[in-house]
Amino acid sequence: MALVNPLDPNSDPETWKLAEFFNETLGFCPNSVLTMQHRPAISKAFITLNKAVMANEGKVTSALKRMIAWVSSNAAGCRYCQAHSIRAAERYGAEAEKLDNIWQYRTHSSFTEAERAALDFALAASQVPNTVDADLKKRLHTYWDDGEIVEILGVISLFGYLNRWNDSMGTDIEDGAVDSGKKYLSKYGWVEGKHDGSAY
C-alpha cells in the first residue's frame, strides 16, 4: 500500500488536462502524478517539466530518452520507473532487440557507440557518489552536441526525482507497466511489488 493514496483523476481538472501527455507515452496516467495532485502545483509543474525534457530538439530520439530513463532507474533500483521507462521505450519505437538486451547495452551489437555513451552517462550520473569523469565527458562530446547533452541529463535528472518519489511513496504500479516489466525485465530479476530499498 502506498504511503499516500492517489487522488481521483478528476480531482484537479488542470492536472488531468496536462496529463493527457501520458496517454501517449504510457497509455494511462501514472499513479505517481495522481498522488502529486494532493498539491496540484507540484503535479502541474512536474508534467510541464516532463514534457519539456522529453521534447525532441536534436538527435536524441524519444526511444533513446526512455532507455536512458531505464538505465538511470535501474541504477537507482526503482522498479516502478524501470517498468514505466521500458514500456515507454517500446511505445516510442525502440527496437525489440534493444529492449530484450538493454542489460547488455555495452556489448550488444544492436547499440551504437553514441547510444552507449549516453547510457553510460545515465549510469554514472545516477550513482551516488556521481561517477561522471573526464573520459565520459570526452565520449559524450564525440557523439552529442551541448544541447543534446543537456537533453540527456534532463532525462537523468527527471528520473532522479521520479525514482526518489516512487520508491519513497511506494507507488502502486499500474497493470500496463507490470506487463512491460514482465515482458522485458523479469528475466533479469524484475518483479512486481516491493521497490528496492523500500521499508514497507
Side-chain angles (χ1 to χ4, degrees), residues 82-105:
Q82 289 168 20
H84 276 225
S85 54
I86 205 77
R87 178 179 180 82
E90 179 183 34
R91 289 174 66 88
Y92 276 99
E95 299 162 26
E97 194 173 11
K98 287 181 179 176
L99 296 173
D100 283 331
N101 295 284
I102 192 151
W103 286 76
Q104 289 87 28
Y105 74 83

Side-chain angles (χ1 to χ4, degrees), residues 55-61 65 144-145 147-148 151:
N56 299 109
E57 306 288 344
K59 300 190 310 274
V60 189
T61 66
K65 284 186 176 185
W144 307 104
D145 66 28
E148 290 159 348
E151 283 187 61

Side-chain angles (χ1 to χ4, degrees), residues 38-188:
H38 283 275
R39 292 294 180 263
I42 295 176
S43 59
K44 289 183 280 195
F46 168 75
I47 296 168
T48 300
L49 177 62
N50 195 316
K51 290 171 78 171
V53 165
M54 292 303 185
N56 299 109
E57 306 288 344
K59 300 190 310 274
V60 189
T61 66
S62 293
L64 178 56
K65 284 186 176 185
R66 275 64 186 192
M67 289 188 285
I68 289 165
W70 181 83
V71 169
S72 184
S73 299
N74 189 51
C78 180
R79 295 185 185 277
Y80 182 91
C81 292
Q82 289 168 20
H84 276 225
S85 54
I86 205 77
R87 178 179 180 82
E90 179 183 34
R91 289 174 66 88
Y92 276 99
E95 299 162 26
E97 194 173 11
K98 287 181 179 176
L99 296 173
D100 283 331
N101 295 284
I102 192 151
W103 286 76
Q104 289 87 28
Y105 74 83
R106 285 181 167 161
T107 56
H108 197 273
S109 60
S110 62
F111 292 89
T112 67
E113 289 304 316
E115 289 170 332
R116 289 188 182 111
L119 296 170
D120 275 347
F121 182 48
L123 180 61
S126 301
Q127 294 176 348
V128 179
N130 191 297
T131 60
V132 176
D133 60 16
D135 254 4
L136 190 46
K137 177 181 176 182
K138 183 178 178 182
R139 285 176 61 211
L140 278 171
H141 282 284
T142 300
Y143 301 106
W144 307 104
D145 66 28
D146 287 351
E148 290 159 348
I149 292 170
V150 166
E151 283 187 61
I152 292 167
L153 188 53
V155 175
I156 297 163
S157 300
L158 178 72
F159 275 82
Y161 171 84
L162 283 169
N163 295 158
R164 289 188 182 275
W165 180 278
N166 290 303
D167 263 355
S168 300
M169 189 64 70
T171 309
D172 292 326
I173 192 165
E174 308 82 2
D175 290 343
V178 170
D179 294 342
S180 296
K182 287 179 177 175
K183 180 176 179 181
Y184 293 109
L185 307 176
S186 60
K187 63 185 172 183
Y188 302 109

